[in-house]
């Protein structure tokens, strides 16, 4: 409080006032002497009446005179003796007087005052003087006093100061220009106390803080005080008086920079929206308030206002053309909140873009935003290096901006929109993430519909979900409905509308016509028809019973029904006839791989896929050898190569599961037991009944194993794991004419790495697992910084699989040279990768690596 103390230097105080201050700070505890000193301090002026009162009170020992002395001090602060004495006291000596009183708050003579005297005489000194000085002294005293009854009394004074409208008086005094001519340091101190009061009180009073000092209650009180200051300003302007909103704007900015913008604008924004709806003076006051917010605090103020107000028209009334007058506000509303941040809801985007489009002077900024968003959305680098959530956010901004364009603006920007649509669709469709590809299709359809290129519109086939429907709905502009809630009491609410019950439409009544006597009595029109909705048309073709017939039908038959029956029966024939399947497994796998859906068979892809998986499970080594060799061959589409990988992964997963042999005989025996005709036919039946009764009535504290332990079964995948894994690693770096694995076909590369990781994970505890893990680590190490996020996901999944499958000693031996580099890479991915799945997989890999290191170090 050096700045406040500098305002009352001792050389400026008259001699009598200096003696009084020294008396108050001395160790004397005589209440008469101290009260007389207080009276002398308040009466130090050039007025003869005050000097006479001072001399009388200094020589008196009567209690009534002491109370009168404190009353005189309160009169000076309350402007009862209006004149130079009161003004001089407030401007020069009020702060120091309050500091002296607080320093003596635990003295005995203060405790001898009654409750009423303390409330009216002592506490009134803080309520009737300049509110800014009182608040600063109270907050300073709260920070210096130790826990005591005196500090509790000071907290009561601060709480009553806030309840009695101290903030209202403080803000309005600065609006009127009656505040002191303070220095920048003192202004900053006052702003800090106003904005940080909840934090300061919580630090000093914890855990006995008052409810009024909590952020929710205090910010609501401060927002109300600011609204009252604005309301008084509007009234003063109507009366022809000048006001200043600089201090109120500074308080608003300081509170918002402390993180309380949501609490303040939750109360202030609806009131401003309601008051500016039809009042031009309120609009001017609101614009001036936002323009006077300091530059360093403008961002939280504008962001909080946008989030709280929720409607473009209301935001336009409150902000005015701030976006044109302030460069920082323009950068915030046209770039940062639309392109750099991506956590705002769609309603916020509608508010911002609707605000830019609402005024003719602001519409050029809407065009500028559209061009920036088009450039970002169509950039291949942006698609590769930004999260999917941010791409979705930018797509929303693009569609909302395009939906707000007018006819002449669309004509002007048609070439740019067309270039954006084609380039952005290409970048999104090249991505390996399904969500991004679907995003490119939806935005392409919406933009082509918006541009209306000679009546031609793009149409894609993709799965419709909630996200795609939400994007498509953005092209339909929403009306800005004004339905502000009434924030203040006294404003009459909207009359309730009694809903009128809707009557269901009535069908015209049919007139009953008497039956003619000569009508046909044998008519069957009144008979109820049979329900034939579930009937199926019987096919003349019969399903094949032999595998050779099934293959012939798939290869040569031109009957759609026969082909469908053969395809549906293929899986069962393969699994039932094992010996026959092993003779023709490779040939049938070739037939299924090249089989086309000529007749649009329902479920064609799934039927073909399950049959190929059954072939690979029945005859693993030859089928796996054929599929892995064909994976790098020529003249295969990407869809066929992905099918090969999927078949290998699913068949390996089925082979790694335990064999459930003997289920059918057990189920048959259970069925036979259930149809036993008579209990007496079984000679041991009565023994079982007695045993069950004994077991049911016996109470056991603990039981042993109630079921026999599961029998170990051989892993069918372990002997053939090498046939599935190692051939897929060959020729990956040799680009073919129609297949470039390390080039543009990164979708297949990501799926390949994911499949290899799954094959290693399924081979856990197999003898070949360490060799497979080492080979996979060597393969993916060069791809760890790949640009495509699907490839990076596959790499991290493969690393997790290796860490899970390889023994600890083998893993540490393999990573001995690159252990620190691997940990640094995983830590960097976990912290800085743009894809959330990559970050999650990197964290899991780090946890697995740490567990392996710990297990190996603790091993004897």
């Amino acid at each position: 409080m050096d700045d406040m103390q500098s305002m009352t230097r001792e050389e400026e105080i008259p001699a009598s006032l200096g003696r009084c201050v020294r008396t108050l700070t001395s160790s004397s505890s005589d209440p008469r002497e101290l009260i007389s000193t207080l009276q002398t301090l308040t009466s130090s002026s050039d007025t003869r009446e005050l000097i006479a009162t001072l001399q009388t009170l200094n020589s008196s020992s009567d209690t009534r005179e002491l109370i009168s002395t404190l009353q005189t001090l309160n009169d000076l602060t309350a402007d009862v003796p209006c004149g130079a004495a009161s003004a001089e006291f407030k401007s020069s000596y009020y702060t120091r007087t309050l500091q002296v009183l607080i320093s003596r708050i635990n003295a005995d003579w203060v405790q001898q005052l009654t409750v009423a005297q303390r409330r009216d005489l002592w506490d009134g000194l803080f309520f009737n003087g300049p509110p800014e000085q009182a608040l600063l002294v109270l907050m300073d005293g709260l920070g210096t006093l130790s826990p005591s009854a005196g500090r509790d009394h000071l907290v009561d004074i601060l709480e009553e100061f806030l309840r009695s409208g101290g903030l209202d008086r403080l803000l309005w005094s600065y609006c009127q220009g009656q505040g002191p001519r303070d220095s920048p340091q003192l202004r900053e101190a006052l702003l800090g106390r106003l904005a940080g009061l909840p934090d300061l009180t919580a630090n000093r009073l914890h855990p006995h803080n008052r409810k009024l000092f909590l952020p929710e209650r205090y910010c609501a009180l401060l927002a109300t005080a600011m609204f009252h200051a604005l309301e008084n300003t509007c009234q003063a302007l109507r009366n022809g008086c000048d006001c200043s909103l600089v201090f109120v704007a500074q308080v608003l900015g300081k509170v918002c920079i402390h993180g309380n913008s949501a609490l303040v604008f939750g109360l202030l924004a609806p009131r401003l929206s309601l008051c500016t709806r039809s009042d031009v003076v309120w609009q001017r006051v609101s614009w001036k308030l936002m323009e006077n917010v300091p530059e360093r605090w403008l961002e939280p103020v504008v962001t909080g206002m946008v989030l709280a107000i929720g409607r473009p028209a209301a935001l336009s009334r409150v902000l005015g053309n701030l976006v044109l007058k302030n460069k920082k506000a323009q950068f915030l509303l046209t770039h940062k909140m639309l392109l750099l941040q991506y956590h705002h809801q769609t309603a916020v985007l509608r508010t911002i873009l609707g605000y830019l489009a609402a005024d003719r002077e602001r519409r050029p900024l809407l065009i500028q935003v559209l061009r920036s968003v088009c450039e970002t959305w169509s950039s291949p680098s942006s698609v590769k290096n930004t999260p999917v959530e941010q791409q979705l956010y930018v797509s929303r901004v693009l569609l909302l901006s395009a939906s707000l364009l007018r006819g002449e603006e669309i004509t002007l920007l048609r070439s740019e929109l067309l270039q954006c649509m084609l380039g952005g669709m290409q970048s999104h469709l090249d991505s390996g993430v399904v969500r991004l590809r679907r995003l490119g299709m939806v935005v392409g359809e919406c933009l082509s519909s918006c541009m209306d290129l000679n009546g031609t519109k793009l149409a894609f086939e993709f799965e419709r979900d909630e996200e795609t429907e939400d994007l498509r709905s953005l092209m339909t502009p929403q009306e800005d409905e004004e339905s502000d809630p009434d924030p203040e009491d006294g404003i009459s609410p909207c009359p309730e509308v009694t809903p009128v019950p809707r009557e269901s439409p009535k069908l015209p009544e049919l007139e009953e016509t008497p039956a003619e006597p000569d009508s046909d009595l044998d008519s069957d029109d009144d008979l109820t028809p049979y329900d034939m909705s579930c009937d199926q048309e019987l096919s003349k073709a019969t399903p094949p019973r032999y595998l050779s017939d099934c293959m012939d039908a798939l290869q040569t038959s031109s009957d759609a029904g026969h082909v469908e029956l053969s395809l549906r029966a293929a899986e069962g024939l393969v699994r039932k006839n094992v010996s026959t399947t092993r003779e023709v497994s490779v040939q049938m796998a070739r037939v299924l791989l090249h089989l086309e859906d000529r007749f649009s068979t329902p479920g064609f892809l799934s039927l073909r896929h399950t049959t190929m998986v059954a072939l690979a499970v029945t005859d693993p080594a030859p089928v796996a050898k054929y599929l892995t060799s064909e994976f790098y061959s020529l003249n295969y589409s990407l869809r066929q190569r992905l099918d090969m990988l999927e078949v290998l992964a699913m068949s390996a997963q089925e082979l790694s599961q335990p064999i459930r042999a003997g289920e059918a005989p057990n189920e048959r025996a259970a069925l036979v037991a259930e149809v036993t005709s008579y209990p007496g036919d079984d000679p041991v039946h009565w023994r079982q009944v007695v045993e069950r009764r004994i077991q049911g009535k016996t109470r056991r504290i603990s039981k042993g194993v109630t079921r026999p332990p599961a029998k170990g079964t051989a892993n069918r995948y372990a002997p053939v794991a090498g046939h599935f894994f190692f051939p897929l690693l060959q020729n990956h770096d040799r680009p073919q004419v129609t297949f470039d694995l390390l080039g543009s076909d990164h979708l297949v590369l990501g799926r390949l790495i994911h499949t290899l990781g799954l094959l290693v994970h399924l081979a856990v505890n197999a003898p070949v697992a360490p060799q497979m893990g080492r080979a996979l680590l060597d393969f993916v190490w060069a791809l760890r910084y790949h640009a495509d996020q699907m490839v990076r996901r596959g790499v991290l999944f493969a690393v997790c699989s290796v860490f899970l499958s390889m023994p600890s000693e083998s893993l540490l031996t393999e990573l001995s040279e690159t252990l620190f580099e691997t940990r640094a890479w995983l830590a960097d991915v976990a912290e800085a990768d743009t894809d959330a799945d990559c970050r999650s997989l990197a964290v899991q890999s780090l946890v697995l690596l740490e567990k392996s290191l710990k297990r190996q170090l603790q091993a004897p």
Side-chain angles (χ1 to χ4, degrees):
M1 304 303 296
D2 296 336
D3 296 293
M4 290 181 292
Q5 294 175 4
S6 64
M7 297 174 58
T8 56
R9 298 185 299 272
E10 189 166 346
E11 59 267 23
E12 297 178 355
I13 304 176
S16 59
L17 290 177
R19 288 193 300 271
C20 294
V21 171
R22 286 191 295 272
T23 304
L24 282 171
T25 55
S26 64
S27 59
S28 176
S29 59
D30 186 5
R32 297 180 180 179
E33 180 180 358
L34 290 172
I35 294 177
S36 177
T37 303
L38 283 175
Q39 180 185 9
T40 303
L41 178 62
T42 61
S43 301
S44 178
S45 65
D46 295 335
T47 307
R48 295 182 179 180
E49 292 79 2
L50 292 178
I51 294 176
T53 302
L54 175 63
Q55 294 174 352
T56 302
L57 291 177
N58 285 336
S59 60
S60 175
S61 59
D62 189 4
T63 305
R64 296 179 180 178
E65 293 183 347
L66 295 176
I67 295 176
S68 177
T69 302
L70 291 177
Q71 183 63 49
T72 304
L73 189 60
N74 279 272
D75 291 343
L76 283 173
T77 58
D79 287 335
V80 174
C82 297
S86 179
E88 179 68 19
F89 175 76
K90 289 181 179 180
S91 62
S92 301
Y93 312 126
Y94 180 71
T95 297
R96 181 56 183 165
T97 302
L98 295 184
Q99 291 175 346
V100 171
L101 293 178
I102 290 177
S103 65
R104 307 297 298 167
I105 197 171
N106 291 316
D108 295 338
W109 67 274
V110 178
Q111 308 302 326
Q112 295 176 6
L113 296 175
T114 63
V115 175
Q117 291 173 346
R118 184 181 301 180
R119 182 184 65 252
D120 298 334
L121 301 180
W122 180 278
D123 300 354
L125 294 174
F126 294 88
F127 302 149
N128 299 326
E132 69 281 352
Q133 299 183 44
L135 180 64
L136 287 173
V137 173
L138 287 173
M139 296 301 298
D140 184 61
L142 187 64
T144 56
L145 291 178
S146 58
S148 60
R151 194 182 76 169
D152 294 340
H153 182 200
L154 193 66
V155 173
D156 294 336
I157 296 176
L158 177 59
E159 187 175 11
E160 184 61 27
F161 175 83
L162 297 178
R163 292 184 185 276
S164 62
L167 296 178
D168 292 40
R169 298 193 301 272
L170 192 155
L171 295 179
W172 178 234
S173 66
Y174 276 92
C175 290
Q176 290 179 306
Q178 298 177 357
R181 296 182 179 179
D182 48 6
S183 62
Q185 294 80 6
L186 183 59
R187 175 67 65 90
E188 190 66 29
L190 179 58
L191 293 174
R193 298 299 190 276
L194 282 171
L197 187 143
D199 299 330
L200 296 174
T201 54
N203 291 335
R204 294 297 300 173
L205 303 179
H206 181 77
H208 305 291
N209 198 8
R210 305 291 177 87
K211 292 183 179 181
L212 186 62
F213 301 152
L214 297 180
E216 293 80 7
R217 297 280 301 276
Y218 176 75
C219 289
L221 191 66
L222 185 59
T224 304
M226 286 190 283
F227 178 76
H228 290 162
L230 298 178
E231 192 175 28
N232 295 333
T233 301
C234 292
Q235 187 62 37
L237 292 177
R238 292 188 182 98
N239 297 332
C241 301
D242 293 335
C243 292
S244 174
L245 294 175
V246 174
F247 184 75
V248 179
Q250 291 176 350
V251 173
L252 179 62
K254 190 69 172 180
V255 173
C256 292
I257 202 66
H258 276 227
N260 296 320
S261 59
L263 298 175
V264 173
F265 284 116
L267 183 64
L268 190 61
R271 296 184 179 185
L272 288 177
S273 175
L274 185 63
C275 293
T276 57
R277 182 181 297 179
S278 58
D279 195 331
V280 180
V281 177
W282 262 105
Q283 293 181 13
R284 287 183 52 199
V285 169
S286 178
W287 298 349
K288 200 65 177 178
L289 174 68
M290 302 304 295
E291 292 172 7
N292 286 331
V293 174
E295 192 85 6
R296 62 186 184 275
W297 300 331
L298 186 63
E299 180 176 347
V301 174
V302 175
T303 304
M305 181 67 75
V306 171
L307 295 178
I309 210 159
R311 281 178 296 276
L315 184 65
S316 181
R317 295 195 306 267
V318 173
L319 293 185
N321 284 334
L322 179 67
V323 71
L324 299 176
K325 299 178 182 179
N326 192 293
K327 292 296 182 181
K328 187 166 187 178
Q330 181 177 336
F331 170 78
L332 179 65
L333 292 177
T334 62
H335 189 78
K336 187 170 184 178
M337 294 185 70
L338 301 180
L339 294 177
L340 301 183
Q341 301 173 349
Y342 56 94
H343 60 274
H344 298 297
Q345 300 295 327
T346 305
V348 177
L349 300 180
R350 286 188 184 274
T351 301
I352 296 174
L353 297 173
Y355 163 73
L356 297 178
D359 187 79
R360 180 176 55 85
E361 297 180 358
R362 297 194 294 265
R363 287 197 72 87
L365 294 179
L366 178 65
I367 306 299
Q368 175 185 335
V369 167
L370 180 61
R371 286 172 173 163
S372 302
V373 173
C374 285
E375 181 181 356
T376 302
W377 189 79
S378 60
S379 172
S381 176
S382 175
V383 175
K384 292 181 180 179
N385 300 318
T386 55
V388 180
E389 292 78 11
Q390 188 169 2
Q391 285 295 317
L392 178 62
Y393 187 84
V394 173
S395 301
R396 289 196 180 105
V397 177
L398 176 58
L399 295 181
L400 286 173
S401 303
S403 67
L404 294 172
L405 294 178
R406 297 170 180 170
E408 61 275 9
E409 294 171 340
I410 293 177
T411 304
L412 178 64
L413 300 172
R414 180 168 295 170
S415 60
E416 298 181 28
L417 287 175
L418 181 60
Q419 184 179 1
C420 163
M421 181 185 70
L422 297 178
M425 285 174 53
Q426 181 67 32
S427 302
H428 284 77
L429 293 177
D430 286 344
S431 175
V433 183
V434 178
R435 193 176 175 189
L436 280 180
R437 295 201 299 271
R438 188 184 302 128
L439 192 62
M441 298 178 195
V442 176
V443 176
E445 286 185 355
C446 295
L447 289 181
S448 66
S449 175
C450 175
M451 289 184 291
D452 192 15
L453 300 173
N454 299 325
T456 58
K457 299 180 181 179
L458 294 177
F460 296 94
E461 294 183 1
F462 54 87
E463 183 180 355
R464 310 281 178 173
D465 56 4
E466 184 178 355
E467 183 177 292
T468 58
E469 294 302 323
D470 176 66
L471 288 172
R472 292 168 66 90
S473 67
L474 298 179
M475 295 301 295
T476 304
Q478 292 185 353
E479 296 182 359
D480 187 17
E481 300 179 356
E482 290 288 343
S483 58
D484 298 279
D486 299 328
E488 286 272 44
D489 295 332
I491 301 178
S492 59
C494 297
E496 297 183 358
V497 179
T498 305
V500 180
R502 298 178 58 184
E503 297 182 358
S504 58
K506 297 182 179 180
L507 296 176
E509 297 182 357
L510 299 178
E511 297 181 359
E512 296 183 0
T513 58
E516 298 180 1
D518 56 347
S519 60
D520 188 5
L521 299 179
D522 296 333
S523 175
D524 58 354
D525 294 340
D526 296 335
L527 297 179
T528 303
Y530 287 104
D531 184 11
M532 303 180 65
S533 59
C534 299
D535 290 359
Q536 297 180 356
E537 183 180 357
L538 297 178
S539 176
K540 297 180 180 180
T542 57
R545 297 184 179 181
Y546 299 98
L547 200 56
S548 58
D549 296 339
C550 181
M551 291 177 57
D552 293 339
L554 294 176
Q555 285 180 294
T556 61
S557 178
S558 58
D559 183 9
H562 195 195
V563 171
E564 182 179 355
L565 289 175
S566 301
L567 194 58
R568 294 186 181 279
E571 182 186 2
L573 294 175
V574 167
R575 295 186 183 274
K576 187 183 300 183
N577 305 312
V578 177
S579 59
T580 306
T581 300
R582 290 176 178 174
E583 296 177 0
V584 296
S585 58
V586 176
Q587 182 181 358
M588 190 167 184
R590 184 182 298 110
V591 170
L592 292 172
L593 185 61
H594 293 85
L595 186 63
E596 298 180 356
D597 189 10
R598 296 176 294 167
F599 307 106
S600 299
T601 305
F604 173 81
L605 294 178
S606 62
L607 292 174
R608 187 185 67 162
H609 174 73
T610 54
T611 306
M612 293 180 70
V613 171
L615 284 171
V617 171
T618 306
D619 198 11
V623 176
K625 182 179 179 181
Y626 169 73
L627 292 177
T628 52
S629 62
E630 292 296 309
F631 179 76
Y632 291 104
S633 299
L634 297 175
N635 301 325
Y636 281 105
S637 65
L638 297 182
R639 178 69 263 174
Q640 288 175 310
R641 300 182 197 276
L642 294 176
D643 288 343
M644 297 179 198
L645 294 177
E646 192 171 356
V647 168
L648 289 173
M650 296 300 295
S651 57
Q653 189 171 4
E654 184 175 345
L655 287 171
S656 65
Q657 295 176 355
I659 303 175
R660 298 179 179 179
E663 286 185 355
N666 291 341
E667 293 174 359
R668 185 176 182 85
L671 291 175
V672 172
E674 288 179 1
V675 298
T676 303
S677 59
Y678 183 69
D681 295 341
D682 190 353
V684 295
H685 178 72
W686 65 273
R687 296 181 181 275
Q688 295 177 357
V689 173
V690 173
E691 186 67 24
R692 282 197 297 267
R693 290 178 179 176
I694 295 174
Q695 294 290 340
K697 296 181 179 182
T698 302
R699 183 179 180 184
R700 293 179 174 84
I701 298 177
S702 63
K703 285 188 177 182
V705 179
T706 58
R707 296 182 180 179
K711 296 182 179 179
T713 57
N715 188 343
R716 294 176 292 168
Y717 172 67
V720 296
H723 296 280
F724 281 76
F725 179 81
F726 290 107
L728 283 178
L729 288 177
Q730 298 176 356
N731 303 325
H732 66 273
D733 54 349
R734 298 179 185 178
Q736 303 293 339
V737 178
T738 59
F739 183 47
D740 186 6
L741 192 61
L742 298 182
S744 59
D745 296 325
H746 42 76
L747 174 62
V748 183
L749 177 61
R751 190 69 62 86
L752 172 63
I753 298 174
H754 190 277
T755 303
L756 291 173
L758 182 62
L759 295 177
V760 171
H761 175 64
L762 295 176
V764 61
N765 298 326
V768 75
Q771 186 179 356
M772 293 170 63
R774 286 193 294 269
L776 183 58
L777 286 178
D778 293 339
F779 173 59
V780 301
W781 187 250
L783 302 172
R784 64 189 187 278
Y785 293 115
H786 199 278
D788 189 77
Q789 54 188 353
M790 279 295 294
V791 177
R792 297 199 304 272
R793 288 183 195 175
V795 170
L796 291 167
F797 176 77
V799 170
C800 283
S801 301
V802 172
F803 289 171
L804 285 171
S805 304
M806 290 183 65
S808 300
E809 56 275 7
S810 301
L811 181 62
L812 295 181
T813 302
E814 180 63 25
L815 296 178
S816 59
E817 299 180 358
T818 61
L819 178 61
F820 294 103
E821 186 177 358
T822 302
R823 294 180 64 182
W825 164 62
L826 291 174
D828 181 65
V829 172
E831 181 179 359
D833 198 282
T834 58
D835 186 68
D837 292 337
C838 291
R839 296 194 297 268
S840 177
L841 288 171
V843 172
Q844 296 179 21
S845 301
L846 281 173
V847 171
L848 293 174
L849 182 59
E850 295 296 333
K851 287 183 178 180
S852 298
L853 289 173
K854 186 176 181 180
R855 191 183 307 114
Q856 183 63 20
L857 293 175
Q858 291 178 353

